[in-house]
Every structure is written in C-alpha cells, then in structure tokens.
Amino acid sequence: IEPGFLTAELIAALAALPVCPHFHIPIQSADDAVLRAMGRRDRRIDLENIIDRVAASFPRTAIGADVIVGFPTEDDAAFDRTYEFLREKPFTHLHVFPYSPRPGTRAEAMADPVPAAVKKDRRLRLQNLVHEKNLEFRRTMAGKVLDAIVERNSLGEMSALTDNYLRVRIAELHPSGARIKVRITAALPHATTGTVEK
C-alpha cells in the first residue's frame, strides 16, 4: 500500500478491525532529494510519521518495505540516510531492488551513473541489516501465541504462516489451509519454530 494512502484516519479505522498486523509499504528511499528525483510525493518526515503510527497502532505488526538502491541521484550520503532510517524504524523485511533504467520513465533520461558494484554493495548492506532486524523481531515473539494458517510447500513440507507474517516450522500434522494457534518456541537466524496450541 502506497505511503500516501496510510492516513491517520485509515490507520485508526484498520486498528479497530480484526486485520492481520502486516504492512508492506513501498518507500523506495528515505532521502528527500532522491524522493523528489523519483517523482514521489512523500518526504522523509511523512514516512517517519506513517511508520510510527502503524507501529503504535499495531503492537506486534510486521512492517516491510520496497527500496531501490543506486537511483541515478543517490550518492553515498543519500544512501546512508536511507540506511539509517531503515535501521531506526521497526522494519521486519525488505524487498531491495537495484535501479535499472526503464524505457518511458522520467528517470530514463538520467542514464545509469551508479556503478553496478556500488548497487550490489548497497543492496547487500540493506539485506544484512534487515536480516538482523527480522531476527530481533522474531525473538520478541518467543512465547507468544499467534493466529496462523497451515501451508505446505512443493516438497510437502509443512509450516504455519502467522497473521504477522512469520513463517513457523511446526511438527504437528494439519491439513493445508487449516487455521491454528501456534506458540513461538524459538527464533533462530534462519528459522522460527513453534508448537500448535490445542
């Protein structure tokens, strides 16, 4: 959902409903100059207010974002501002995309001045950051009982997807699509485990 749609009124209305506490917000950058060059309406202060409102209104929410690294006007300082914003705010997952020119867009005329190696490094830095933040978030869920849906992957392996977007390994057998309650037992670097509550 675009940041501009997440008004204080909408957030308050959603908080009064039984919705899954998971938001994915395409912020793209947290540097005002880059946001202007992208033609985005929101500024850093707007993004701060939106993320803070969502986090305050949904206490155990997962907040994801789309971010573009290596936009033509993104220098090291601009990237650092985005990095610090993502570090300070309660993001739990990111989709990070390296910029590449697209025909017919306003950015196409800016060419592609940021070297591929720089884009790769920035992308890796953000992926490492969110990996740490995601682990911290999952650890705060340890011991909590969450609503979830049972899913099976193409190999037949079973897991539960919680209402706040945690993939949880479970040992108990349940049919795919079953709604369950799962208690988080451990948050490991590459997995979350849980048991099904009776």
Side-chain angles (χ1 to χ4, degrees), residues 60 141-148 162-164 180-184 195-198:
R60 55 184 180 81
M141 295 295 113
K144 291 183 169 55
V145 177
L146 306 176
D147 292 320
T162 68
D163 60 354
N164 63 345
I180 61 172
K181 290 190 178 293
V182 62
R183 182 181 295 277
I184 307 302
T195 58
V196 178
E197 293 284 288
K198 305 300 182 189

Side-chain angles (χ1 to χ4, degrees), residues 102-108:
R102 292 289 185 269
T105 63
R106 60 185 287 172
E108 183 184 15

Side-chain angles (χ1 to χ4, degrees), residues 30-117:
D31 178 79
D32 283 344
V34 172
L35 289 167
R36 279 193 298 272
M38 287 179 171
R40 306 281 294 177
R41 293 191 184 102
D42 299 298
R43 296 296 171 258
R44 182 189 181 102
I45 189 64
D46 302 318
L47 299 175
E48 287 181 356
N49 291 336
I50 290 163
I51 299 304
D52 289 347
R53 272 197 209 104
V54 168
S57 300
F58 299 87
R60 55 184 180 81
T61 190
I63 304 176
D66 291 341
V67 180
I68 295 173
V69 294
F71 191 79
T73 61
E74 184 187 69
D75 58 15
D76 289 343
F79 171 76
D80 288 344
R81 282 188 281 274
T82 295
Y83 182 94
E84 288 305 312
F85 177 82
L86 295 169
R87 186 181 62 80
E88 292 167 4
K89 297 300 174 184
F91 290 99
T92 60
H93 55 283
L94 297 176
H95 292 166
V96 186
F97 304 95
Y99 171 80
S100 59
R102 292 289 185 269
T105 63
R106 60 185 287 172
E108 183 184 15
M110 300 178 190
D112 192 13
V114 180

